[in-house]
Amino acid sequence: MKSDSSFKESAAHSPRLTRHQQAVLDLLHQQTDALPAQELYSLLRQRQAIGLATVYRALETLKLRGLIKSRMGANGEAFYSLVVSDQHYLTCLQCGQSFPLDPCPVQELETHLQPSVPFKIYYHTLEFFGLCEPCVQSID
Amino acid sequence: MKSDSSFKESAAHSPRLTRHQQAVLDLLHQQTDALPAQELYSLLRQRQAIGLATVYRALETLKLRGLIKSRMGANGEAFYSLVVSDQHYLTCLQCGQSFPLDPCPVQELETHLQPSVPFKIYYHTLEFFGLCEPCVQSID
DNA sequence: TAAGCGAATGATAATCATTCTCATTATACT
DNA sequence: AGTATAATGAGAATGATTATCATTCGCTTA
Ligand SMILES: [Mn+2]
Ligand SMILES: [Mn+2]
Ligand SMILES: [Zn+2]
Ligand SMILES: [Zn+2]
């Protein structure tokens, strides 16, 4: 059998992913950082014909299935990544720079929390905000 | 002396808050939940003349001073609240409903983290996403 | 107190990510 | 193949936020 670079979903009752939904998911598998929808759209267009609305709809579908997640950036754009990725940041309110933080400090918490709530948890967001060293000084 | 319902800022080097900035801060002191800028604008207008742009600028100023914080809602609108408030939610990806979660599970973590990073932490965001009980079933 | 000046304000236009519309096309099933 | 259903794409619409820019405010100084 020949190798298959796509990542198939094995969910029991969910309908199969469409070609475009699969393409979006595959693309996210190749990324190390979360990307905005518009950026994913540009990257996808380099390889195939696809509409922007379709990208947004695919992202919505994948998110409802618990395969990907999104975090809202400061300027109202959403950044998408795989649910399995688990990266958090310190973000400067002044210059906007983000500094990665690892490991995830709430992974264990989520595991403990899940059994105690009537809610199926897919993922979490966690971010710290403040001022980076250079910006703290430039405020004076 | 007569009582003063406003909340004065005692920062050492920061310029005094303007009348409108103070009004925004006072209004946030009266809220139990985070509110979007547009909503704060409506509430403020009931008591005084003020421009929408001024509300946004006041919120930005107050945030840079570490007095208030904001979290981005799913639809791209920011919700503002006092930094001292510390409330997190479980949010359903399907119906959008939010369920409060207390106490804050990372307050202690933030305290431990602060000394180990070259960054002045003002506040954090933490949110869990997934499906609420009714929505889990309606998915099938 | 009057003049001067930089910051703050407000009305409005511009921006821009996201969502909506609807006609067209692909897919699943008989 | 023929029909029902879902997906797609082009472009318009939406709506929160930001940028403009002329005016006003607050404060210092003569
Ligand atoms: Mn995490
Ligand atoms: Mn908290
Ligand atoms: Zn910074
Ligand atoms: Zn729900």
Side-chain angles (χ1 to χ4, degrees):
Chain A
M1 84 209 247
K2 70 188 221 288
S3 70
D4 186 341
S5 67
S6 67
F7 301 77
K8 301 293 175 43
E9 169 55 0
S10 59
H13 298 299
S14 301
R16 190 172 298 275
L17 293 179
T18 68
R19 182 168 47 94
H20 285 149
Q21 289 163 356
Q22 185 66 54
V24 170
L25 183 57
D26 287 349
L27 180 56
L28 284 175
H29 267 279
Q30 301 168 16
Q31 308 306 313
T32 72
D33 298 309
L35 294 180
Q38 306 265 1
E39 178 70 18
L40 294 169
Y41 172 62
S42 307
L43 292 173
L44 286 166
R45 293 215 76 153
Q46 295 178 3
R47 303 199 153 282
Q48 66 196 280
I50 188 172
L52 177 58
T54 300
V55 174
Y56 277 103
R57 285 185 287 233
L59 290 169
E60 182 62 19
T61 296
L62 295 172
K63 189 160 66 171
L64 280 174
R65 294 210 192 173
L67 297 174
I68 69 173
K69 62 182 172 180
S70 69
R71 68 178 175 87
M72 296 299 297
N75 43 324
E77 64 191 342
F79 289 79
Y80 296 87
S81 57
L82 296 181
V83 157
V84 294
S85 74
D86 192 10
Q87 182 69 64
H88 306 286
Y89 301 87
L90 293 163
T91 297
C92 179
L93 294 169
Q94 173 79 181
C95 67
Q97 266 193 275
S98 286
F99 306 86
L101 184 70
D102 13 50
C104 168
V106 298
Q107 193 51 256
E108 184 185 15
L109 169 69
E110 179 173 311
T111 307
H112 282 252
L113 179 63
Q114 178 65 94
S116 69
V117 294
F119 193 97
K120 172 59 181 170
I121 298 176
Y122 281 176
Y123 64 91
H124 60 261
T125 63
L126 170 66
E127 204 157 359
F128 293 90
F129 293 91
L131 298 177
C132 70
E133 194 52 50
C135 285
V136 164
Q137 303 180 333
S138 73
I139 290 289
D140 284 328
Chain B
M1 78 208 231
K2 70 187 221 286
S3 69
D4 187 340
S5 67
S6 68
F7 301 75
K8 300 292 174 48
E9 169 57 359
S10 60
H13 299 299
S14 301
R16 189 172 299 276
L17 293 180
T18 68
R19 182 168 47 93
H20 285 146
Q21 289 163 355
Q22 185 66 54
V24 171
L25 183 57
D26 287 350
L27 180 56
L28 285 175
H29 267 280
Q30 301 168 15
Q31 308 305 314
T32 72
D33 298 307
L35 295 180
Q38 307 264 2
E39 178 69 18
L40 294 170
Y41 172 62
S42 306
L43 292 173
L44 286 165
R45 293 215 75 151
Q46 295 177 4
R47 302 201 153 281
Q48 65 196 280
I50 188 173
L52 177 58
T54 300
V55 174
Y56 276 104
R57 284 185 287 234
L59 290 169
E60 182 62 20
T61 297
L62 294 172
K63 189 160 66 168
L64 280 175
R65 293 211 191 172
L67 298 174
I68 70 174
K69 62 182 172 181
S70 70
R71 69 180 175 86
M72 295 299 297
N75 43 323
E77 64 191 344
F79 289 79
Y80 296 86
S81 57
L82 296 181
V83 156
V84 293
S85 75
D86 193 9
Q87 182 69 64
H88 305 286
Y89 300 88
L90 293 163
T91 297
C92 179
L93 295 169
Q94 173 79 179
C95 67
Q97 266 194 275
S98 285
F99 306 86
L101 185 70
D102 8 53
C104 169
V106 297
Q107 194 51 256
E108 184 186 13
L109 169 70
E110 179 173 310
T111 307
H112 280 252
L113 178 64
Q114 178 62 98
S116 69
V117 294
F119 193 96
K120 171 59 181 171
I121 299 177
Y122 280 176
Y123 64 90
H124 60 261
T125 64
L126 170 67
E127 204 157 359
F128 293 90
F129 293 91
L131 298 177
C132 69
E133 194 54 50
C135 285
V136 165
Q137 303 180 332
S138 72
I139 291 289
D140 284 329

